[in-house]
Amino acid sequence: MRQKPTVLAREIVATSRLFCVEELKLRFSNGVERTYERLVGKGAGYGAVMIVAMLDAEHAVLIEEYCGGTDEYELSLPKGLIEPGEDVLAAAERELKEEAGFGARQLEHLTELSLSPGYMSQKIQVVLATDLYEERLEGDEPEPMRVDKINLRDLSTLAQNPQFSEGRALAALYLTRDLLSQRGFFPS
């Protein structure tokens, strides 16, 4: 296993309401020194959760929400921050109810994904939700989200949709499709 670089200095060089930019001065095992910058979340960093909620054996829930990063309405999976003291599955259940209007009788943690590990420290927990029922909780969204669905057989088409661009969501959907297929739940 490779030796991680030595941190020579660490400093927050910029802050916003949501993020800090941290500058890291590093020395690698071969003596080369470099300065890296990365986005780190503010506060305790309880993490985030993304939910693949299955309406039936083939269809997953998508939501449409305004995304400040792209300045567009985008389709994605329900997701949100994990609150202090909340476990991953409870956060998934809450976010699913707030964003899509569904609860789930079965929740399963699948994996952890990062968005851009070269520049961001944030990771997201992916949860599979099945045996859904209608239930809505009020959330912090500024407007109601449109709820849609995707057939797991059509993921390549979804990837071409200009309104869908989140790589983590696409990875979570492919992972779910493969997992359900291995378990014999996804019809051939």
Side-chain angles (χ1 to χ4, degrees), residues 47-173:
V49 63
M50 174 179 282
I51 307 100
V52 181
M54 298 301 298
L55 292 165
D56 57 38
E58 295 185 34
H59 296 91
V61 172
L62 294 177
I63 52 106
E64 179 189 61
E65 67 179 322
Y66 176 77
C67 296
T70 60
D71 189 28
E72 299 288 343
Y73 280 90
E74 300 239 354
L75 292 169
S76 190
L77 295 171
K79 62 189 165 302
L81 295 177
I82 299 170
E83 295 179 357
E86 189 176 41
D87 77 6
V88 170
L89 299 182
E93 176 85 354
R94 178 183 49 74
E95 287 293 342
L96 184 58
K97 289 177 181 178
E98 289 176 0
E99 294 193 354
F102 290 104
R105 291 180 186 88
Q106 297 287 338
L107 294 161
E108 176 185 356
H109 181 260
L110 297 182
T111 193
E112 179 180 80
L113 296 173
S114 63
L115 181 59
S116 182
Y119 297 97
M120 299 174 74
S121 64
Q122 292 84 3
K123 295 184 179 181
I124 198 162
Q125 307 303 315
V126 178
V127 172
L128 174 61
T130 55
D131 196 8
L132 303 184
Y133 57 92
E134 289 188 26
E135 184 176 338
R136 181 164 298 282
L137 288 177
E138 187 174 329
D140 59 359
E141 292 73 25
E143 62 185 358
M145 293 185 181
R146 183 175 68 84
V147 177
D148 205 340
K149 65 181 177 179
I150 181 65
N151 188 313
L152 294 184
R153 297 178 193 278
D154 295 334
L155 296 182
S156 59
T157 302
L158 179 64
Q160 302 303 315
N161 184 332
Q163 200 180 2
F164 182 89
S165 69
E166 187 168 6
R168 297 176 304 176
L170 189 61
L173 288 164

Side-chain angles (χ1 to χ4, degrees), residues 6-35:
T6 302
V7 177
L8 303 174
R10 178 185 309 250
E11 178 184 1
I12 300 297
V13 294
T15 61
S16 76
R17 184 176 58 82
L18 297 175
F19 299 104
C20 297
V21 177
E22 182 180 52
E23 182 179 87
L24 297 171
K25 294 182 192 269
L26 304 172
R27 180 180 301 125
F28 289 82
S29 60
N30 63 359
V32 173
E33 294 184 10
R34 289 284 191 276
T35 300

